[in-house]
Amino acid sequence: MTVDRFLCADLQMQSDSPQPPVLIVGAGLSGLTVAITLLQNNVPVRVISNQPSRGQYFRGSVVVPRTVEAHRFLGTYERFQEVSRTFPQAVLYGLPGGTEVIKHFSMRESQKSTPWLPDATWMLCPQYKHETLLQSFLATEFSQQVQFNHELISFSPASNEATIRNVETGDIEAQQYSYIISAEGAHSTIRKQLELNFVSDLVGNAKFILLDVEVFSELDTTIQHFWGNMSEKMVGLWHSSGNHFISFMTGEWDHQYILGGLENFIELFREFTGRNDIVSGKLIAPITSYTPTIRMVDRFSVGNTFLLGDAAHIQSPTGGQGLNSSIQDAVNLGWKLSLVYHRLSPPSLLETYHEERFPVIQEMLLRTTKLLDKTRTAKETNEALKRGSDTDQLGVNYRWSSIVLDEVNEKATADADTSALTTAYDVNPEIGAILRAGERAPSANGFLDSSGNVSELILLDLFSIKFHRLLLFAPTSEVNLVKKAIEALKAYPVELVKTAWILPQGDISELDVGFTGSILVDNSGSAYAGYGLQGRVPVIVIVRPDGVVGAIVKEVEGIGRYFAKIFVSA
């Protein structure tokens, strides 16, 4: 059966059914991302939130390069660029006085874009703006609305029946769903009713205060402002939009007094910094005081129920990893659930959501906890806040996964027998190093098209959450391999497996082999270099919908061996 017949059948089922097959509980970043992933793959969803509307909070503002790339695959990249900016530099003021800049620094040193990594720097995007752009995308592209003021009261694991209350009217409904996704946050009703272990561990004795507030001053809105040091007492201010600033406080503050109201915060802020010129307006979000904890469920899925983001894991805010990990959760689950829903993949594919994400999150919790220890004990503020390349998440990988296939690299077999915990969260990979299945697929640029004309396309443009992309790295002299690959790909729906033939530098020939995919000449050499393939062709690389290398094989038969792990048997 072709994918077209599958989609037509599913759309007919959708029109006959009063409820979509997938219920997403929670409309934060993870819930909205998985909704977009599913809708991009023609899977109907319902998204509910117990909140009355979208809040105007700044929290969760760090967006790392791996997440920026995810926006490319989701189709939301241009919208994201419109509401985000490069993560700002920071200044530290001397005390007392609070006006003399004594240090300039960066939390994450700005990285230059390269052919392999076009989105190289951290971006700053207030969480409410990030969520708003995704919600708007759902509405404009799919006519999909978030149902605010809809609270999940109970959930039956045995039947996947959800009982939902309309907060405004008091009406209660009970419906069964094929799949239920909990993106509710740390207080997930679904997680509690699944009785999953969610042990909480305090991380030291660090305490933080966060508040979103109007600020009227001559402060430079393009940089972050800090006073004090993390090991004793520190306060920071940085800009969101308009007069909206966020303040971050840690150390020996009177938390109870500050929680008493904005006036108390301003009193202590001015007393500490000496900056009486900084005038506050109203609070935009409630003042929050908290002690970081780490929590993680022992299963990310039970049957046809799945947990994303804070519903599955809570981490220290240091390093900006929580939001970004939640989006990667959503993307990982979404493409797999889409294939299973359309009966193109076996239900067992959904088990790999836990298999792949659990070790990554486990390692992330360890790393963010170490960062917190460093942050609160460092004497120098710039050293306390500095972050390494591992926080870019470009080295996050699934080398051990049961659904990746590497028949080229000798280290792949060893990786399969190595504890995933030690390898799941690598630092940024070096360009030219051996690329292995399960790792991020690099980009490349400087191509010529098959006619020899300069192409503006970059390799990431070929990837999408909607399909696998098969990259044939082969010279024209390997035309027989290309012909065999074309024949092998006829077994798979063209909408789900797209191809590109990447010719080496200087190799341009007129060939008529019935190839219907993209043909690109690696004129800059960046594709062969980025994939570590100099002198190692021909090689076939298959990139998954989430931008991860699913397979690296030398023979056409390897295509079938990989897709046997993904698709149902013919």
Side-chain angles (χ1 to χ4, degrees):
M1 183 181 286
T2 67
V3 68
D4 287 336
R5 290 177 59 193
F6 269 118
L7 297 184
C8 288
D10 285 328
L11 291 174
Q12 181 62 44
M13 285 193 301
Q14 178 186 353
S15 65
D16 294 340
S17 173
Q19 288 293 348
V22 181
L23 173 66
I24 301 170
V25 184
L29 287 173
S30 61
L32 294 170
T33 300
V34 75
I36 290 172
T37 303
L38 292 168
L39 287 165
Q40 288 280 33
N41 287 282
N42 297 295
V43 180
V45 302
R46 180 186 185 188
V47 186
I48 66 171
S49 171
N50 61 3
Q51 299 299 309
S53 62
R54 179 75 55 211
Q56 289 259 320
Y57 40 83
F58 184 91
R59 295 95 195 264
S61 59
V62 175
V63 185
V64 302
R66 190 70 174 267
T67 301
V68 179
E69 283 191 1
H71 278 292
R72 289 182 181 270
F73 311 148
L74 290 165
T76 51
Y77 181 76
E78 291 184 359
R79 296 191 186 211
F80 175 74
Q81 292 294 317
E82 292 173 359
V83 299
S84 63
R85 67 181 193 268
T86 301
F87 199 82
Q89 301 287 304
V91 297
L92 178 67
Y93 297 96
L95 295 175
T99 58
E100 180 188 359
V101 175
I102 60 174
K103 200 162 290 183
H104 293 263
F105 66 96
S106 300
M107 288 182 63
R108 175 77 178 106
E109 291 296 336
S110 181
Q111 306 298 305
K112 291 184 178 180
S113 296
T114 68
W116 309 281
L117 181 62
D119 306 298
T121 62
W122 278 19
M123 300 297 287
L124 183 73
C125 184
Q127 188 169 336
Y128 75 91
K129 286 189 176 182
H130 207 163
E131 292 174 352
T132 298
L133 87 86
L134 296 183
Q135 185 180 333
S136 174
F137 187 80
L138 285 174
T140 57
E141 299 298 318
F142 304 104
S143 299
Q144 178 76 43
Q145 301 298 324
V146 173
Q147 291 181 292
F148 289 103
N149 274 321
H150 281 68
E151 176 187 15
L152 179 73
I153 298 174
S154 64
F155 152 75
S156 170
S159 63
N160 255 26
E161 182 177 87
T163 302
I164 298 168
R165 181 173 69 92
N166 185 317
V167 177
E168 292 181 310
T169 66
D171 293 342
I172 294 177
E173 57 173 297
Q175 296 285 345
Q176 283 186 310
Y177 294 86
S178 300
Y179 306 95
I180 295 181
I181 298 173
S182 170
E184 308 157 87
H187 302 291
S188 167
T189 298
I190 291 172
R191 184 192 65 244
K192 294 172 183 176
Q193 297 198 358
L194 287 172
E195 298 182 348
L196 291 172
N197 188 25
F198 197 54
V199 175
S200 172
D201 290 326
L202 290 176
V203 185
N205 58 359
K207 294 188 73 174
F208 298 98
I209 290 176
L210 285 174
L211 68 158
D212 293 67
V213 62
E214 282 185 328
V215 171
F216 302 94
S217 77
E218 298 300 319
L219 284 176
D220 186 342
T221 58
T222 65
I223 58 176
Q224 297 173 306
H225 307 266
F226 290 96
W227 296 263
N229 66 75
M230 298 286 286
S231 63
E232 297 175 359
K233 199 174 189 180
M234 193 203 73
V235 60
L237 276 176
W238 57 92
H239 181 250
S240 173
S241 61
N243 293 317
H244 180 177
F245 279 72
I246 185 172
S247 181
F248 168 81
M249 310 177 78
T250 188
E252 301 169 2
W253 296 96
D254 187 336
H255 285 233
Q256 288 303 315
Y257 185 71
I258 293 172
L259 289 172
L262 180 59
E263 297 81 5
N264 297 352
F265 161 74
I266 291 298
E267 174 192 336
L268 295 185
F269 174 85
R270 288 178 171 174
E271 180 182 296
F272 180 65
T273 66
R275 296 296 298 265
N276 294 326
D277 58 309
I278 297 176
V279 179
S280 72
K282 64 182 178 181
L283 273 176
I284 296 171
I287 301 174
T288 303
S289 173
Y290 69 97
T291 300
T293 63
I294 56 170
R295 299 180 183 180
M296 184 177 181
V297 291
D298 48 8
R299 288 290 308 171
F300 281 22
S301 63
V302 177
N304 285 349
T305 305
F306 308 90
L307 284 78
L308 301 177
D310 287 355
H313 48 84
I314 301 291
Q315 54 285 318
S316 160
T318 47
Q321 300 299 282
L323 170 156
N324 297 282
S325 296
S326 297
I327 289 177
Q328 293 299 326
D329 287 349
V331 171
N332 186 289
L333 173 63
W335 74 266
K336 297 170 182 176
L337 181 53
S338 299
L339 290 176
V340 173
Y341 168 75
H342 290 302
R343 303 188 299 279
L344 292 165
S345 295
S348 58
L349 182 65
L350 295 174
E351 296 173 9
T352 67
Y353 167 59
H354 170 85
E355 177 190 339
E356 292 186 341
R357 292 303 296 165
F358 186 86
V360 171
I361 298 302
Q362 199 170 13
E363 178 69 5
M364 183 268 288
L365 293 179
L366 291 176
R367 288 175 182 258
T368 52
T369 300
K370 288 179 181 178
L371 271 177
L372 177 63
D373 290 339
K374 169 195 166 187
T375 298
R376 66 186 179 81
T377 58
K379 295 295 183 183
E380 298 293 332
T381 297
N382 58 314
E383 289 301 319
L385 295 175
K386 188 176 291 184
R387 304 296 177 243
S389 67
D390 57 334
T391 58
D392 295 345
Q393 296 196 353
L394 298 169
V396 169
N397 67 85
Y398 311 124
R399 296 184 197 122
W400 65 90
S401 172
S402 62
I403 59 168
V404 304
L405 178 67
D406 197 324
E407 298 182 344
V408 172
N409 301 305
E410 294 178 359
K411 290 188 68 176
T413 303
D415 280 336
D417 298 327
T418 301
S419 169
L421 187 61
T422 63
T423 59
Y425 221 92
D426 278 353
V427 296
N428 293 354
E430 295 182 6
I431 295 305
I434 293 176
L435 181 72
R436 286 170 279 174
E439 297 179 348
R440 166 191 171 266
S443 189
N445 64 14
F447 293 108
L448 303 179
D449 63 23
S450 58
S451 299
N453 299 315
V454 175
S455 173
E456 296 300 321
L457 180 143
I458 66 172
L459 204 55
L460 289 185
D461 293 336
L462 297 179
F463 306 153
S464 171
I465 201 67
K466 301 177 185 180
F467 51 77
H468 280 76
R469 174 67 73 173
L470 188 145
L471 304 175
L472 291 164
F473 287 92
T476 53
S477 59
E478 293 288 346
V479 65
N480 288 334
L481 177 138
V482 174
K483 288 179 178 179
K484 288 176 65 177
I486 293 170
E487 191 62 31
L489 289 172
K490 290 179 180 178
Y492 310 105
V494 67
E495 293 86 353
L496 296 182
V497 183
K498 297 186 180 295
T499 59
W501 185 1
I502 313 296
L503 293 164
Q505 191 175 29
D507 190 352
I508 301 178
S509 300
E510 291 292 334
L511 289 176
D512 184 12
V513 295
F515 190 81
T516 58
S518 302
I519 298 179
L520 297 169
V521 181
D522 187 19
N523 194 50
S524 67
S526 63
Y528 279 73
Y531 282 70
L533 297 178
Q534 299 97 325
R536 304 175 68 222
V537 293
V539 168
I540 300 169
V541 176
I542 303 175
V543 180
R544 306 188 329 186
D546 56 358
V548 170
V549 175
I552 306 177
V553 299
K554 288 191 74 71
E555 302 172 345
V556 168
E557 291 76 12
I559 297 173
R561 287 190 286 270
Y562 169 71
F563 283 124
K565 297 172 177 285
I566 305 298
F567 296 128
V568 293
S569 302

